[in-house]
Amino acid sequence: MPEPTRKDETANGRPEDDDAAATTPSPTPRAEDVNSLKKLSIELPNDSVPATGRKDSVWSLGDGQGPDDLEKPIDTPPRSTLLIESPQSAVILVGGDITFVAKVEAKDLLRKPTVKWFKGKWMDLASKTGKHLQLKETFDRLTKIHTFEMHIVKAKDNYAGNYRCEVTYKDKFDSCSFDLEVKEAEQGSQNIDIRSAFKRSSEGQEDAGELDFSGLLKHREPKPEDDTPEVDVWDILKNARPDQYEKIAFTYGITDLRGLLRRMKKIPKEVKKSEAFAKKLDPAYQADKGGKIRLVVDLADPTVDLKWYKNGQEIRSSPKFIFEHKGTQRIMVINNCSMNDDAAYSVAAGDEKCSTELFVKELPVKIVKDIEAVKTTVNERVELECEVSEEGAQVKWMKNGVEVPTGVRSRYRVKCEGTKHFLVIDDASREDTGTYSVMATGGTSEAHVQVDLKPLKVLRDLEDAKVLLGQPIKLQCEISPGNVPGRWYRNGQLIQPNDRINIVHRNRVHRLEIAAGSLHDAGDYTFVPEGYSQSLSAKIHIFDPPRVHLESMNFPDNTVTIVAGNKLRLEIPISGEPAPRVVWMKGERVILESGNRVRAETCGDQTSLTIDVTEREDIGNYKIVLQNEAGEATASVKIKVVDIPDPPEAPLVPAVGGDWCSMIWEPPKYDGGSPILGYFIERKKKQSSRWMRLNFDQIKETSFEPKKMIEGVPYEVRIFAVNAIGVSKPSEPSKAFTPLAVTSEPTMLVVDDVTDTTVTVKWRPPETIGAAGLDGYSVEYCIEGTDDWIVSNNALTEKTKYTITGLTTGSKILVRVKAINAAGASSPRTIQHSVLVKEVIEPPKIRVPRHLKQTYTRRVGEAVNVVVPFMGKPRPKVTWLKEGTAIDPTHVNIRNTDCDSIIFIRKAERSHSGKYEMAVQVENHVDTAVLDIQVVDLPGPPQCVNIEDVWGGNVALVWTPPKDNGNAQIIGYTIQKADKKTMEWYTCIEHYHRTCITIPELVVGNEYFFRIFAENMCGLSETATQTKKSALIVKEGMQLKTHDYSDHDFMEAPKFTQPLINTFAIAGYNATLNCSVRANPRAKVIWMKNKMAILDDPRYRMFSNQGVCTLEIRKPSPYDGGMYTCKAINDLGEAQVDCKLEVKGGFTFYELMKRGVPLHLIDKYMNEKTVEQEK
């Protein structure tokens, strides 16, 4: 919180020291003399004099009154009492918390009052709320008291000063000021070590940088005395430059540099003596309004230019501001001080400046002569007079506690003659009766004014009259007294004068004149004298012949046009006094008011014809007849009913394309009474029910070409006719049509083969076929030099290859191909160059695939399928040899085509391995290729596995390679070991390449057997060769003495320790069957359903873990119900357990078929279900 300006005021505003005169400047108070200075708080409401450049503050600082005024009470302006409890001055310690409370009673308040807290003169604390300042508002509904609180948290030195609380409600105002004094906490000893005081209390936290007072208060253990001489760090810091503070703090072990800098700021600094001013302005001055004040400065150098400023604006010499020079003194005199002079003043001498504040005190204005009571009658002049103590003072006139309006249009006039003030009412009325008061800043005076009426006499009363429409009307009466105004009323409504109505008042005569009487002028007229309860009345009757005002309807030729189906309400103004009788007629038929669809009604000054739903039959002339005592009138109206046009007939579609069609139609037979403006077209797919608008702008022609249709989809179209009334109903849909398009031309047409009498061509299908599909191709040719194209194939061919036969050898032909579908033939694709009909010999060439250039390897049992392409014309002759001999066709299948040869072996055997030689021959030209096929199998086991040596925990093994390597290279061996006690085999090493190995880290005391598998590219051998002898691992230096003993026989036939139990399952939810079996050696578990083994069925999952056997049935159906069996088999015997599974919530025949259940099983399930239902 920034430090506010300290004000020399107290909460009660009473003077305490009156040693100085009003114009004597007040010296700046010291901190210890704050409570002994005189403090004065005055509030002066002055709305007419703005304070330039300053806040609108009414708080002033001054020296008080002279000795002669000590006994006089201070006159303060009236102020509303809103605060029932005011905040009080208080004293707290630095770092303490305090709360100030203000309470406002809300019994007479309609809404919450506005409360503002200030510090000093104008600092609004609402913008300073935060961690250290909090404002709170509460309201007690029982006591109806608003409570406003200001909380100050962890107060600091600069929080001390004068505070103010202001309460505002509409035109009421109240305020209270109070002081807050913040004192430093008392310290036990001033000899605190600065280096220990400025240790950080909590590094990096909220209070980092503050003194750790809690650390200074802790009990310290006595430390051994240090012989190091004492150093006063404060003196070093005071004499050092600011840029050396960090270095000094580091030297003397001060870590809290931020707290040190804060403490340095609090050290009072020596004020340098001013070079320009020998004596500056005092901090504040006070003067009375209308008085004179002198602002004096003493210059050190009289030659320096001096400038005076008021609120930052330079002051020029004038009768108001007079500048005087007396030696080194420079004086500015302000004459006739006013509230505008209450401002901040400053004086500049060269580069130096000093400033002060001037407070102008406005003296209260007292009422010297009170106003007197007045009693008078209506229309008389009333004048209230008072006299005040000061000439030109402002006073306020009140009536019954409310300020009297004194504007230009007000009945009240206010005038001032010197110290006398007058309130004048020129023409008094009874409403002017009341208590009038005049209020000045120093007092109030009031008096009662009574205004009574004069007695009323009627000399001539008003008379009833009958007047024709348009004739002038005149009403006149005569009353006494003659100067009494009055008001005229018609049917209780006040009559105001205008161009047609004239109100005349001459002496006792009151007259109402109406230039031309109208129907509205008929009624009861009343004249009411102002201020009297008596009134005069008369009745005026107006007669008028009937008339029909069709001209006001603005109908061309009195014709009304209406859209069929809409409601018509034709309201026609009529006039006549008395109200005429109205009859509506169509031809000779009278329209009654009780009609259903068509009826006539008359109400007041208008008659109406209503047709709820207009139809074409309503077209015609309608006559209106009016009759009353003054005469008869007639008029006629023509009604024309228009409608939407009839729908056109169904459109015709004469032409159809791939994505378009053309359509035509005839205009509708009836246009609805309005010309046809255009048409809308819609289309839809035949199978769909959703129509789509094709044009959003109307089409004026009767033909259209829809586009962007989907080829091959049947469509229908329809038409809407549009006139000025709207859109007709749709026409009947056209006959369904299907857009179809021919395909694009065939692609990549080339010559495939040529003989002496034939030409074979091939091509690719068209890129775009379309919805009509492709029925086939037509092949045509012509002799070069002619345009006679001959169709080669009478029937369409679906293949993309065709041979033209019956050609003449040596002729040249051109060939073209067309694609044919339901829409017709496509554009032809023609070979660019002519073809010579003559066969060409092409030497044979075998194109061996890349993967066959190396050895082709397959495993035993796999299929061998080798395709070798070749080239040559005419068709080459192909022969195959294996190792120079012919191939047996019973073992190897060979199939030859025009361009390749295939070797196929369904199940390869090792005897099929070898080199196959292929020869392709065309006449005397031959080409050969050799294929190497290798059929491999698993290798046999190694031979002669022997234990060569045993030492420590190591065993050396040697073996010989297998006799059968599986027709492939041996790539490694896998060595396993087994303890003689358990005979469970564990792999020691895999992919081992040598035929001898040392097995390390064997357990002492165990006896091991070893076996070895051979491995080639097909995998490990099916069996392994085991050592005949075992290797006993004994501890070195000790010999194990073995004792003869008989091994316990753990072999056991299968036995179920937990049988299966009958189970119910819910269709669609997984079910499980569980049992447990004990056997040695481990038994093979087989699950069966209805005595049929469950094999490779994805709906079942079988688990076996530590003898616990589980069968999981995934989402069973009633078909899965039945008798389930678990069977365990080993070398010593077998055992089985059964249970029944019943699945509830079955499926229908259709659901079982949908799930893919075989028919014989469905039949069996349905039969079982029927038997169960019968039971």
Side-chain angles (χ1 to χ4, degrees), residues 501-526:
I501 300 175
N502 185 25
I503 298 177
V504 180
H505 177 201
R506 292 179 181 175
N507 296 329
R508 300 178 179 179
V509 177
H510 294 266
R511 185 166 59 249
L512 173 66
E513 297 177 352
I514 302 176
S518 64
L519 294 178
H520 299 288
D521 296 327
D524 295 330
Y525 284 78
T526 305

Side-chain angles (χ1 to χ4, degrees), residues 118 132 155 240 384 437 456 522 542 614 640 863 1038 1115 1154 1170:
F118 296 90
H132 295 283
L384 301 178
S437 61
L456 179 68
I542 304 294
T614 55
K640 180 180 179 182
M1038 298 181 64
K1115 296 182 179 179
K1154 196 173 181 181
T1170 303

Side-chain angles (χ1 to χ4, degrees), residues 1112-1126:
E1112 181 181 1
I1113 307 171
R1114 296 182 177 179
K1115 296 182 179 179
S1117 63
Y1119 158 76
D1120 296 316
M1123 186 66 68
Y1124 284 80
T1125 303
C1126 180

Side-chain angles (χ1 to χ4, degrees), residues 231-290:
V231 178
D232 191 352
V233 183
W234 286 117
D235 293 338
I236 298 175
L237 292 171
K238 290 177 183 179
N239 300 326
R241 298 192 307 273
D243 58 350
Q244 296 177 347
Y245 288 168
E246 185 175 1
K247 181 177 179 182
I248 296 172
F250 179 75
T251 303
Y252 291 97
I254 299 175
T255 59
D256 190 2
L257 183 59
R258 184 182 298 175
L260 175 65
L261 294 176
R262 291 182 181 177
R263 195 63 174 267
M264 290 292 294
K265 290 181 180 179
K266 297 179 182 179
I267 298 177
K269 298 182 180 179
E270 297 181 1
V271 181
K272 296 182 179 180
K273 187 175 182 181
S274 173
E275 297 180 357
F277 297 98
K279 180 182 179 183
K280 296 185 177 181
L281 293 172
D282 290 329
Y285 293 85
Q286 177 176 311
D288 291 333
K289 182 179 179 182

